[in-house]
């Protein structure tokens, strides 16, 4: 058995919201079992591509908002890690 583990997190600058607290983390951790390493690695590859695409979309949208003075990509940090681990 293999375990696919991914952790996705984001931080939003207080400047991007009405909340003036410290940067806020929104981490998510997910685990899924696979019967073999190959299936786990296929899922890992697809998940990494999806998360990279989502991050690029968010940054692109923030660039659009920056052009009208409403946001800045520097106000959000998106991070993720995807691993296949033997059980």
């Amino acid at each position: 058995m293999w375990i696919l583990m991914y952790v996705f997190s984001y931080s939003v600058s207080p400047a991007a919201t009405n909340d003036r607290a410290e940067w806020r983390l929104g981490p998510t951790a997910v685990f899924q079992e696979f019967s073999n390493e190959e299936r786990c690695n296929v899922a890992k590859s697809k998940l990494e591509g999806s998360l990279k695409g989502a991050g690029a979309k968010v940054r692109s949208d923030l660039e659009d908002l920056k052009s009208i003075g409403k946001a800045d990509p520097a106000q959000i940090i998106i991070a993720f890690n995807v691993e296949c681990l033997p059980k």
Side-chain angles (χ1 to χ4, degrees):
M1 290 293 251
W2 284 78
I3 304 292
L4 174 72
M5 176 201 75
Y6 78 87
V7 178
F8 177 85
S9 65
Y10 65 92
S11 299
V12 178
S13 166
T17 69
N18 290 330
D19 182 0
R20 297 296 176 217
E22 295 295 318
W23 286 62
R24 296 172 296 171
L25 293 174
T28 301
V30 176
F31 301 89
Q32 184 171 350
E33 289 187 356
F34 288 87
S35 57
N36 61 54
E37 184 179 10
E38 181 183 353
R39 292 186 74 196
C40 188
N41 283 325
V42 168
K44 175 185 174 183
S45 178
K46 288 182 180 181
L47 183 58
E48 285 175 326
S50 178
L51 291 172
K52 285 178 186 174
K57 174 74 173 130
V58 168
R59 295 214 188 288
S60 173
D61 290 346
L62 286 171
E63 283 290 346
D64 292 345
L65 289 172
K66 182 179 180 181
S67 70
I68 59 172
K70 296 291 183 184
D72 185 339
Q75 294 173 333
I76 188 167
I77 296 171
I78 299 169
F80 64 88
N81 185 37
V82 184
E83 298 291 336
C84 279
L85 307 166
K87 183 173 180 183

